[in-house]
């Protein structure tokens, strides 16, 4: 039986000039060396992993380092680089546009330009921006704009606003916590209720969100009055699913997370129509991706769900990729 040709919603781009800039700054994103990237290498990787289209995004640390004009200039250059790539190979690539948060004014300008002029498939946002998570009131104007545009927004983790633990690479656990923090921030701030038309895609199966969903539920209940808390305890059959429904608003990619340990929690919490395939190339090397993909392919699930994760759910998010 022929597998579906996958759409990869978690694939990164490392433009050559950006790579040079990062190396000049001595930045090792996620505590690893910046990987090399090229269009041909990406295509070779995709052909080997049954990926038809990679929706590209810039990874952490993004473009903002305290200098607003510098960040705006780099965001524009990276977005135009990606748009040119998609123009050459629209069947093989898409892209999430890079913004300038915490510079909200610049982010609004760049989002409009990227969506309207460059025809970006969506937007990528780091989970925290200069230590502020996406539910921060300062980011409301951007969320309002993205909601109005019904945008797909890929949320990628960054460095935690805290010291690293010696000997533990930040990609191992800190990245997952960063995504989890911003998801909770969006929930507790009311952003998920106010901006329901943003299609947030959480990287790496949402970090710890599925596993700690009931802890998040308890945190949500803690903010409610005593009567609401009591009613949830009395009518758990109906109230618990109702409260947990906010987590089903999120989309989740399975990059480096499609394993027999992680998938049961994800499938328990996520809407089956809100799960997408992801690889994390080139930050994850091809052998590591191949290992995780084998775990995914060996995991027992209905063929219709696998087809939806591989392609169908992403076709719904990005209609131009539908074949």
């Amino acid at each position: 039986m022929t597998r579906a040709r996958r759409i990869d919603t978690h694939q990164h781009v490392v433009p050559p000039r950006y790579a040079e800039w990062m190396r000049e700054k001595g930045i090792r994103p996620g505590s690893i060396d910046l990987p090399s990237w090229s269009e041909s290498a990406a295509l070779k990787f995709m052909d080997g992993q049954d990926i038809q289209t990679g929706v590209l995004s810039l990874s952490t640390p993004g473009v903002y380092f305290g200098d607003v004009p510098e960040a705006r200039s780099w965001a524009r250059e990276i977005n135009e680089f990606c748009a040119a790539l998609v123009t050459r190979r629209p069947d093989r690539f898409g892209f999430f546009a890079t913004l300038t948060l915490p510079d909200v004014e610049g982010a609004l300008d760049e989002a409009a330009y990227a969506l309207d002029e460059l025809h970006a498939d969506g937007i990528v946002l780091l989970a925290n921006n200069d230590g502020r998570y996406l539910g921060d009131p300062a980011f409301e104007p951007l969320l309002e704009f993205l909601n109005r545009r019904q945008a797909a927004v890929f949320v990628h983790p960054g460095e935690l606003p805290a010291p690293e633990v010696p000997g533990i690479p930040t990609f191992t656990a800190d990245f997952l916590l960063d995504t989890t923090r911003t998801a909770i921030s969006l929930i507790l701030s009311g952003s998920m209720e106010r901006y329901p038309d943003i299609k947030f895609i959480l990287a790496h199966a949402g970090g710890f969100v599925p596993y700690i969903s009931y802890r998040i539920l308890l945190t949500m209940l803690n903010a409610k009055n005593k009567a609401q808390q009591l009613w949830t305890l009395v009518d758990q059959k109906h109230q618990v699913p109702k409260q947990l429904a906010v987590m089903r608003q999120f989309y989740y990619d399975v990059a480096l997370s499609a394993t027999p340990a992680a998938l049961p929690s994800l499938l328990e919490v996520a809407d089956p129509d809100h799960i997408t395939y992801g690889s994390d190339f080139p930050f994850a090397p091809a052998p590591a991706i191949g290992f995780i993909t084998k775990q995914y392919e060996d995991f027992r699930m209905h063929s219709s769900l696998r087809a939806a994760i591989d392609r169908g759910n992403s076709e719904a998010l990005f209609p131009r990729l539908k074949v």
Side-chain angles (χ1 to χ4, degrees), residues 273-294:
D273 293 339
H274 282 53
I275 306 172
T276 65
Y277 177 81
S279 70
D280 216 338
F281 179 82
F283 285 86
I289 295 167
F291 169 73
I292 296 295
T293 298
K294 182 67 164 57

Side-chain angles (χ1 to χ4, degrees), residues 71-81 109-110 113 118:
R72 294 181 181 185
S73 176
W74 275 105
R76 179 62 53 91
E77 179 173 329
I78 288 161
N79 291 334
E80 291 183 339
F81 177 93
D109 289 344
E110 191 61 28
Y113 175 75
L118 301 181

Side-chain angles (χ1 to χ4, degrees), residues 146-225:
L146 295 172
N147 185 71
R148 194 165 66 248
R149 300 300 298 269
Q150 300 181 325
V153 176
F154 176 48
V155 180
H156 193 277
E159 306 292 336
L160 283 176
E164 293 183 19
V165 177
I168 302 178
T170 56
F171 77 84
T172 306
D174 290 3
F175 271 13
L176 305 180
L177 178 56
D178 203 42
T179 301
T180 304
R181 282 180 170 186
T182 217
I184 296 171
S185 170
L186 288 167
I187 293 170
L188 296 183
S189 67
S191 298
M192 297 301 292
E193 182 177 357
R194 287 193 299 277
Y195 309 115
D197 291 329
I198 301 177
K199 304 172 185 71
F200 287 109
I201 308 168
L202 302 180
H204 311 118
F208 303 130
V209 168
Y211 181 72
I212 67 166
S213 56
Y214 278 72
R215 292 177 72 98
I216 299 173
L217 169 62
L218 291 173
T219 306
M220 293 161 58
L221 288 175
N222 192 51
K224 297 184 182 297
N225 62 45

Side-chain angles (χ1 to χ4, degrees), residues 64-102:
Y64 182 87
F65 297 95
D67 185 323
V68 167
E70 178 185 62
R72 294 181 181 185
S73 176
W74 275 105
R76 179 62 53 91
E77 179 173 329
I78 288 161
N79 291 334
E80 291 183 339
F81 177 93
C82 291
L85 180 61
V86 174
T87 297
R88 289 196 301 274
R89 298 302 306 266
D91 58 328
R92 303 307 306 271
F93 294 110
F95 84 102
F96 293 109
T98 296
L99 303 186
T100 60
L101 288 185

Side-chain angles (χ1 to χ4, degrees), residues 214 217 220-221 224 227-246:
Y214 278 72
L217 169 62
M220 293 161 58
L221 288 175
K224 297 184 182 297
Q228 291 171 316
Q229 293 173 359
L230 179 61
W231 181 237
T232 300
L233 292 175
V234 170
D235 187 27
Q236 292 185 35
K237 180 179 178 181
H238 298 100
Q239 295 304 311
V240 170
K242 181 179 178 180
Q243 298 296 331
L244 290 175
V246 66

Side-chain angles (χ1 to χ4, degrees), residues 6 41 50 58 78 85 105 146 161 224 295 297 314 320:
R6 295 180 176 124
D50 193 34
L58 195 70
I78 288 161
L85 180 61
E105 182 180 348
L146 295 172
K224 297 184 182 297
Q295 301 299 309
E297 291 175 342
S314 291
R320 79 168 185 85

Side-chain angles (χ1 to χ4, degrees), residues 34-48:
L34 194 71
S36 61
W37 178 92
S38 69
E39 178 180 345
S40 60
L43 290 169
K44 180 180 179 181
F45 160 75
M46 290 194 289
D47 289 343

